[in-house]
Amino acid sequence: MSGIQRTALVLAIIGAINWGLIGFFRFDLVAAIFGGQAAAFSRVIYALVGLAGLYCISILFKPSEELERAPEPQR
């Protein structure tokens, strides 16, 4: 798995945790940390999480061999 795939997966997990907190406890962790839902940095975080989720769709449809294959060392 490449670095961009791992980053997208981490951001998608953060988004899932945030949505879980909103659903179960009505608590928006991103808004609490970065100054509310309308704050510029909160919106950037929301946008990055959304883009990461869209990118993870492409990971979902990749063959498992392609994800698990380690790159060969270069000589």
Side-chain angles (χ1 to χ4, degrees), residues 36-73:
Q37 289 182 340
F41 199 65
S42 292
R43 293 181 52 139
V44 168
I45 299 297
Y46 295 136
L48 288 174
V49 168
L51 290 173
L54 291 173
Y55 183 79
C56 285
I57 293 171
S58 70
I59 297 171
L60 181 65
F61 293 107
K62 283 192 177 191
S64 60
E65 302 86 30
E66 189 175 322
L67 292 174
E68 294 172 2
R69 182 179 54 205
E72 294 182 22

Side-chain angles (χ1 to χ4, degrees), residues 5-26:
Q5 290 171 333
R6 287 182 193 271
T7 303
L9 190 56
V10 167
L11 286 171
I13 290 168
I14 289 169
I17 290 169
N18 195 53
W19 275 108
L21 288 171
I22 292 169
F24 289 118
F25 305 111
R26 294 187 198 174

